[in-house]
Amino acid sequence: QGAPQRGAERDLGARLSPEGEVGLGWMELDAPRQRWCPHAGFSAPAPSPGRCSASAAKSLLFRFLPILRWLPRYPVKDWLLGDIASGFSVGIMHLPQGLAYALLAGLPPVTGLYSSFYPVFLYFFFGTSRHNSVGPFAVISVMIGSVTESLLPSENFLVSVDGSNTTIIDEKARDAARVDLVATITILSGIFQVALGLLQFGFVVTYLSDPLVRGYTTAASVHVLISQLKNVFGVSLGEYSGPLSLFKTFIEICKKLPQTNVGTLVTSIIAMVAIFIVKELNHKFSSKLPMPIPIELITIIISTGISYGVNLKSKFGISVVGDIPSGLKPPTLPSTTYFGQVVGNAFAIAIVGYAICISLGKIFALKHGYKVDSNQELIALGLCNFLGGFFQCFAISCSMSRSLVQEGTGGNSQVAGVISSLVILVTILKIGELFRDLPKAILSAIIIVNLKGMFKQFTDFRTLWRSNRVDLMIWIVTFVATLLLNLDIGLGASVAFALLTVIFRTQLPHYSLLGRVPDTEVYKDVAEYQKVKEVPGVKIFRSSSTLYFANVEMYAEALKKKSGINVDRLIEKKKKALKKLKKHPAQGATTSHMVKPCLPPSLQDMEAECNGPGIAVIELSGEENSAPAEPTLHSLGLPQPDFHAVILDFSSLNFVDTVSIKIMKNIFRDFHEIEVDVFVASCPASVLAQLERGNFFSSTITKQCFFPSVHDAVLHISGEQHTASVRTCPGCPHCRHGEGQPSRPLPSSQSPQAHRSTKL
C-alpha cells in the first residue's frame, strides 16, 4: 500500500489500540504482509508463494558476497588507477612484513608469503571495508608464536650428529610440525569467527574496550620486542612459555650479552636506523610524495645482495632465512591432535584479530562516508582464516601501517587488496627463492621499527589520567597482566577485570535528591545546582544506575539516608507503641475517641458561618457502629516526617530482577508504615512489564502510583494535597485553605480541575 494510506493506518491503529499502546500498533503495522481492518484489527498474514523467494535468496547472496553489490557499480575511470598504485605499494610492504611476521610466529618465512596472498585475495570477495589491508599482523603473530614455542619447543627436535654426543635441531621436522599446529589454530579461529558472525555476535568485540585493546597491544609490542632481541644480538636462547616467560627470556638475553655476534648487531643497527629515518621522511613529506619510499623492500634487496656477495653466514656467522620454496602448495588437512589443546588460544586470536580489524574499518568508514557491516566483517575474516589454514597460512588481521599506506596512495576499494595479493603471488612463484640469503637480523629490524606506533600508546597515561581514572586502571591492569601472564591468560584476566569495573560502577552509583528548576518542568540534583529547590513535602530520589541484585539494597539504604529520617528506627518505635497500646486498651480507647476541642468564640462564629443557617452539626461518637481509627504516628506520640510523599525516578533503569522487585516492595511497605506515599516516575515500558511478570503489583501497590514523568507525579501529589486542604464549604472565605491557614496556591494549569495528571 502507498505511504499516505499506510500513514493513515498508523494513525487509526494508534487511536483504536487499547490502553494507548501506540508502540505495539506501530510494530504490528510494520510487520510484513499484515493488514489492518478498523473492525477486526489485524488480519492473518497474506499468503506468500514461499518463504524462500527469489528476492530473499538474492538479498542473502548479496549480503554474504558484498562484491556482487559494489563491483557492478565500480567507477573504473575514477578509481582504477588509484587502486592499482595503492595495491602495488601495499604489495611491496606485504613482502618484507610477511617474511618478518612468519619469523615472529616461529614458522618458515614462506608461510608469511602464503598468509599475504590467500587471505587478502579472499577478503576481496567477502570484505566490506574498502581501506583495510588484511594480512599478517605483529600482535597475532606473537600470539601464535607463544603457542608454537610452548607446545612444540625446539628441544623436542634435537638429533645427534653422526652418532656423536653433539646434537642439533632438526629444523625441517620442527617447521613441519609447527606449520601443522598453526594450521589447526588458524582453522579453529576461522570457525569461531564465522560462527559468531552467522549468529550476529559481532557485538562481542564491545567487551574489549578501547583502553583494554590499547593496553593489550602495547604489552604485546613489548613481547614482540623482547622476542626479536635474540636475532638483533645474534644469540641463541631457550624457549619459554606460560606466566613470566617474558622476564625469563629477557634475563637470559642479559646473561648472554657477552656472546653477542658483532656482525649481526651492526647489521641490525644499520637497518633500523635507515628504516626509521626514511619512514620519518615518508611521514613528513607524505603530501609531496606520490607514494611512500619502500624502504623495507629496498633494505631487504640490498642486504640480500650484500649477504650473497660477501657470504655473511660463513664469514661472520650471521643467521639467514634459508631456502624459500617457490610455487604454491596443495591444500592439506590439519591434524586434529591439537584441537583440544589450542581451542582457547584460537578463540583469543579470533577475538583480538577481529577487534583490531573492525576498529580500523570503522575509522576509515567514518572518514570516507561508507558503512562497514560488523557481522559480515567477522564472517569475511573467518573465511580468510578458515580457508587459508588449509594452505599453510597463519591467522591474520589488519595492519595499521599497511592500511594507512593503502588509503594514502589512492586506494578506494577492495581492488587495491587484490592487486597487492597478485604482487605476492608473483613473488611466491618466481622471486621468493632469491631471498634465501636474507639475514634474519634485517627482518627483526623491520619488526622493531614497525612497533613505533604501538609504543606511542604509552602516551595514553597522560590522556586517561585527565579524562577517566577507571579507564586508566583498565589500561594498566591489562598491560601488566599481559606482561606477567603471557598473551592468552593476560587477555582473559584483562576482560574479567574490565567487566568487574562495570559491576563495581553499577554497585556504587550516584544517588541524588532532585529539585525543580523555577518556572520549568525540569528537575535536577539539588546538590549540584544552586537555584534548584526541593518541592515542599516531597522527596524526589534518583539513582544513576539500574537496579539489580548487586546494588538494590544499597539503593534502599541510600533512599532512607537521603530522606533525612531513620525509617527503620521510626518503624521500630511504632511497633513498640502499638504493643503498648494493646496491653492498655482502656487508655487506647480514651486516646482514640474523637474529642472536639473547645474553640475560641471567633472560630466558633466562623464555623457557624461555614455551616450556614439551619444546618445542624451532629458529632458521632467513635463507639457507635464505627471501627476504631487506625493509630497514627501523631496519636502514638511519635515524630512525623517532614515530607508526605516520595517519588522514585526510574529513568535510569533498563531492567529489574526478582531481588530488586522484592526490595522495592519493602520500600513501599516501610514508607507506608511511616505514613509516606511512594510514587514512581519515568519507568520504561520494558521495566514495567518485568514488574508485572514479577508480581510487583497488588492491592496496596497499584499502577495508579506510576507516572510518565517526575513533573506529572509532582502535579498529582500537589493536586491531592490541595484537594485535601480545601474544605467543601461553598462561599466560605475563611476556610478556603483549611483551618484558616494560608496554603500555596496552584497555578491554573496545575489545579486539579484544569490538569489531570497522566498515569501509566
Side-chain angles (χ1 to χ4, degrees):
Q1 299 180 4
Q5 185 177 358
R6 190 172 179 83
E9 288 175 349
R10 283 176 173 169
D11 294 338
L12 182 61
R15 289 197 299 271
L16 297 181
S17 176
E19 313 247 340
E21 294 176 351
V22 181
L24 180 61
W26 276 73
M27 181 182 69
E28 300 260 327
L29 282 168
D30 284 339
R33 308 185 67 82
Q34 290 282 325
R35 296 176 179 174
W36 169 262
C37 175
H39 304 287
F42 291 106
S43 65
S48 60
R51 294 177 63 93
C52 187
S53 62
S55 59
K58 181 180 178 181
S59 175
L60 189 64
L61 184 64
F62 276 33
R63 177 186 169 191
F64 289 108
L65 280 174
I67 187 176
L68 299 178
R69 189 181 299 275
W70 63 263
L71 190 59
R73 306 172 186 174
Y74 182 77
V76 177
K77 294 182 180 179
D78 298 330
W79 285 7
L80 184 58
L81 290 178
D83 282 338
I84 291 175
S86 175
F88 185 74
S89 302
V90 175
I92 290 174
M93 292 183 66
H94 263 299
L95 175 58
Q97 290 188 5
L99 296 172
Y101 294 153
L103 184 68
L104 189 60
L107 299 172
V110 71
T111 59
L113 298 180
Y114 296 153
S115 302
S116 299
F117 168 65
Y118 289 106
V120 178
F121 186 75
L122 291 169
Y123 188 82
F124 170 73
F125 297 96
F126 301 103
T128 60
S129 175
R130 302 205 305 248
H131 296 89
N132 272 359
S133 176
V134 298
F137 182 58
V139 174
I140 303 299
S141 297
V142 76
M143 293 177 73
I144 294 172
S146 66
V147 180
T148 58
E149 291 178 358
S150 61
L151 295 182
L152 295 174
S154 298
E155 289 79 5
N156 294 356
F157 300 92
L158 294 175
V159 293
S160 59
V161 179
D162 298 331
S164 62
N165 293 331
T166 306
T167 58
I168 60 172
I169 298 174
D170 187 353
E171 294 186 358
K172 288 186 178 181
R174 182 197 63 185
D175 292 346
R178 287 185 174 182
V179 166
D180 191 37
L181 170 65
V182 171
T184 303
I185 298 173
T186 304
I187 290 175
L188 277 178
S189 298
I191 291 173
F192 281 127
Q193 290 171 334
V194 171
L196 292 174
L198 293 175
L199 295 174
Q200 304 293 302
F201 267 56
F203 67 89
V204 72
V205 74
T206 57
Y207 292 106
L208 302 180
S209 64
D210 188 60
L212 188 148
V213 172
R214 293 177 70 87
Y216 183 79
T217 53
T218 306
S221 65
V222 176
H223 277 274
V224 173
L225 175 64
I226 299 300
S227 68
Q228 295 306 301
L229 290 180
K230 62 181 180 181
N231 294 323
V232 172
F233 291 101
V235 295
S236 59
L237 302 175
E239 294 173 349
Y240 302 97
S241 61
L244 302 178
S245 60
L246 178 74
F247 299 94
K248 295 176 183 177
T249 303
F250 183 73
I251 291 172
E252 186 175 358
I253 289 173
C254 294
K255 290 180 179 178
K256 292 192 174 182
L257 283 179
Q259 304 174 18
T260 300
N261 187 310
V262 178
T264 302
L265 181 60
V266 171
T267 303
S268 303
I269 294 175
I270 293 174
M272 282 190 283
V273 171
I275 295 172
F276 179 79
I277 292 175
V278 176
K279 278 183 172 289
E280 289 298 311
L281 293 175
N282 283 338
H283 179 70
K284 186 175 182 180
F285 299 104
S286 58
S287 58
K288 299 180 181 180
L289 294 172
M291 62 176 290
I293 301 173
I295 182 59
E296 295 171 336
L297 180 62
I298 294 173
T299 305
I300 284 180
I301 293 174
I302 294 175
S303 59
T304 302
I306 294 175
S307 175
Y308 176 77
V310 182
N311 199 0
L312 295 178
K313 181 178 180 181
S314 59
K315 288 187 177 181
F316 300 98
I318 296 177
S319 179
V320 296
V321 169
D323 291 333
I324 299 178
S326 60
L328 299 174
K329 296 290 184 68
T332 56
L333 290 174
S335 173
T336 58
T337 309
Y338 303 105
F339 268 59
Q341 297 174 274
V342 300
V343 62
N345 304 93
F347 184 77
I349 290 170
I351 297 300
V352 173
Y354 171 66
I356 296 168
C357 192
I358 194 62
S359 59
L360 284 177
K362 288 184 175 180
I363 291 172
F364 290 121
L366 184 63
K367 182 178 179 181
H368 294 276
Y370 63 91
K371 185 180 179 182
V372 172
D373 187 344
S374 58
N375 289 308
Q376 180 58 30
E377 281 295 295
L378 194 52
I379 294 173
L381 204 63
L383 288 174
C384 291
N385 283 326
F386 176 75
L387 297 176
F390 294 101
F391 294 92
Q392 300 186 5
C393 299
F394 54 85
I396 52 97
S397 183
C398 291
S399 168
M400 171 69 84
S401 60
R402 292 196 307 268
S403 299
L404 290 175
V405 169
Q406 180 168 323
E407 181 207 25
T409 53
N412 296 296
S413 70
Q414 294 91 322
V415 173
V418 78
I419 296 296
S420 67
S421 68
L422 294 178
V423 173
I424 298 300
L425 177 61
V426 173
T427 305
I428 294 173
L429 295 177
K430 298 295 181 182
I431 307 174
E433 58 185 5
L434 301 178
F435 294 105
R436 62 177 179 271
D437 290 315
L438 173 65
K440 291 183 179 179
I442 300 297
L443 297 178
S444 296
I446 293 172
I447 292 172
I448 292 172
V449 174
N450 283 326
L451 296 176
K452 176 193 170 187
M454 293 188 186
F455 285 134
K456 283 185 176 179
Q457 294 177 158
F458 280 110
T459 58
D460 291 348
F461 269 96
R462 181 173 54 189
T463 305
L464 294 177
W465 177 264
R466 295 175 179 174
S467 59
N468 194 313
R469 304 286 175 84
V470 177
D471 283 347
L472 176 62
M473 190 180 302
I474 293 174
W475 197 102
I476 294 174
V477 169
T478 302
F479 179 79
V480 174
T482 307
L483 290 183
L484 295 176
L485 304 177
N486 216 343
L487 295 167
D488 47 359
I489 304 176
L491 178 63
S494 304
V495 173
F497 179 79
L499 294 178
L500 282 177
T501 61
V502 176
I503 296 174
F504 288 145
R505 279 187 276 190
T506 57
Q507 275 191 300
L508 302 172
H510 176 68
Y511 300 111
S512 56
L513 286 179
L514 306 184
R516 184 179 178 184
V517 178
D519 302 323
T520 68
E521 298 181 3
V522 179
Y523 293 81
K524 294 292 183 181
D525 190 350
V526 295
E528 296 180 358
Y529 297 87
Q530 295 179 352
K531 294 185 179 181
V532 171
K533 303 296 180 184
E534 288 191 53
V535 179
V538 181
K539 299 288 185 181
I540 307 172
F541 183 73
R542 180 168 66 190
S543 168
S544 63
S545 173
T546 191
L547 294 181
Y548 66 111
F549 66 93
N551 66 358
V552 66
E553 291 187 1
M554 288 180 279
Y555 177 89
E557 293 174 3
L559 171 61
K560 294 175 181 179
K561 185 177 180 181
K562 290 279 187 181
S563 66
I565 59 172
N566 193 332
V567 177
D568 298 330
R569 180 63 177 164
L570 187 56
I571 293 174
E572 185 180 352
K573 288 183 177 180
K574 181 180 178 180
K575 290 181 179 179
K576 290 182 179 179
L578 289 174
K579 287 182 179 179
K580 185 177 180 182
L581 190 63
K582 289 180 181 179
K583 290 181 180 179
H584 305 283
Q587 180 181 356
T590 23
T591 56
S592 63
H593 285 167
M594 300 296 295
V595 181
K596 182 178 179 180
C598 296
L599 298 177
S602 59
L603 293 183
Q604 290 178 4
D605 296 340
M606 186 186 305
E607 184 180 12
E609 182 181 354
C610 292
N611 293 332
I615 296 179
V617 179
I618 302 174
E619 298 289 341
L620 295 178
S621 172
E623 299 174 0
E624 294 185 12
N625 300 326
S626 62
E630 183 180 352
T632 63
L633 294 175
H634 179 70
S635 65
L636 294 174
L638 298 176
Q640 294 177 282
D642 58 353
F643 58 95
H644 57 84
V646 169
I647 300 175
L648 304 179
D649 185 358
F650 275 13
S651 58
S652 62
L653 269 66
N654 49 36
F655 72 93
V656 290
D657 56 11
T658 55
V659 178
S660 56
I661 291 176
K662 179 181 178 181
I663 300 299
M664 289 302 303
K665 285 183 177 180
N666 294 342
I667 290 175
F668 273 76
R669 181 199 63 199
D670 291 346
F671 278 95
H672 179 72
E673 288 287 332
I674 61 173
E675 301 168 12
V676 174
D677 295 324
V678 180
F679 300 91
V680 176
S682 304
C683 181
S686 59
V687 175
L688 188 64
Q690 292 173 4
L691 292 174
E692 288 181 338
R693 291 195 297 267
N695 298 322
F696 176 75
F697 297 104
S698 62
S699 58
T700 56
I701 306 175
T702 66
K703 290 184 181 179
Q704 300 298 317
C705 60
F706 277 64
F707 295 86
S709 69
V710 173
H711 189 64
D712 283 314
V714 171
L715 292 180
H716 173 76
I717 296 168
S718 302
E720 284 189 345
Q721 185 182 12
H722 180 77
T723 304
S725 64
V726 176
R727 297 180 61 184
T728 56
C729 303
C732 174
H734 301 289
C735 51
R736 182 69 52 86
H737 300 297
E739 300 296 328
Q741 296 182 5
S743 67
R744 178 181 174 186
L746 287 171
S748 59
S749 63
Q750 297 183 14
S751 65
Q753 293 79 10
H755 176 83
R756 293 182 179 181
S757 58
T758 307
K759 298 182 181 180
L760 291 179

